[in-house]
Amino acid sequence: QVQLVESGGGLVQPGGSLRLSCAASGSIFSINDMGWYRQAPGKQRELVAVIPKGGGAKYADSMKGRFTISRDNTKNTVYLQMNSLKPEDTAVYYCNAAVRITWYQPEHDYWGQGTQVTVSS
C-alpha cells in the first residue's frame, strides 16, 4: 500500500508564508505527477499546482507568482512554498501522487489526508 503524509499547515497572517511537505511511502515502483489540490468550505476541490517527475510545473492562475511547487525524487516528497498568502487561500490542502507500485501495473492516484491552512489576522 502507499501512504501520503502531509505536514506544514497552520495559521498565518495575510501576506505571510507557509511551506507544505508531502512524503510518499510504501510499495512504490515509480511516481509520475505529484501535485497539490485544495478545498475550501462549500467549494469543490481545485488544482493548486502539479509537477511531473522530470519537472515542468503547472499552476492554477490564481497561484502563479505566489506559490512554488518542487519535489525531491530521492525522497518521494513534494513541497509547496506559499508566499503572499491571502484569506481566500484558506482551505484544506491535499497532496496527490500518480504512483505505479510495480512495472507492469498502471498508475493509480493516491491522496494524503489533508492539512489545514488558515490565513487570517
Side-chain angles (χ1 to χ4, degrees):
Q1 195 52 275
V2 175
Q3 300 83 37
L4 301 182
V5 178
E6 300 125 335
S7 61
L11 173 64
V12 63
Q13 292 187 342
S17 298
L18 281 176
R19 188 188 192 218
L20 306 182
S21 300
C22 172
S25 63
S27 180
I28 296 172
F29 175 76
S30 66
I31 303 177
N32 194 0
D33 290 358
M34 299 187 82
W36 290 94
Y37 291 72
R38 70 184 186 185
Q39 188 167 17
K43 296 187 177 181
Q44 290 188 332
R45 190 173 296 189
E46 63 175 348
L47 172 70
V48 174
V50 62
I51 182 168
K53 185 176 183 178
K58 296 182 180 179
Y59 299 88
D61 287 344
S62 62
M63 289 71 158
K64 288 180 180 178
R66 299 190 300 124
F67 292 6
T68 302
I69 190 171
S70 61
R71 64 189 285 175
D72 184 337
N73 292 329
T74 66
K75 298 180 179 179
N76 290 334
T77 299
V78 63
Y79 306 95
L80 184 68
Q81 178 67 43
M82 304 185 292
N83 299 327
S84 302
L85 283 162
K86 306 174 182 179
E88 51 264 42
D89 294 318
T90 296
V92 178
Y93 284 70
Y94 296 92
C95 171
N96 171 268
V99 179
R100 190 187 298 267
I101 61 173
T102 65
W103 65 269
Y104 54 86
Q105 289 181 300
E107 292 175 354
H108 287 284
D109 273 343
Y110 290 88
W111 293 89
Q113 79 285 357
T115 185
Q116 176 70 45
V117 172
T118 302
V119 184
S120 175
S121 55

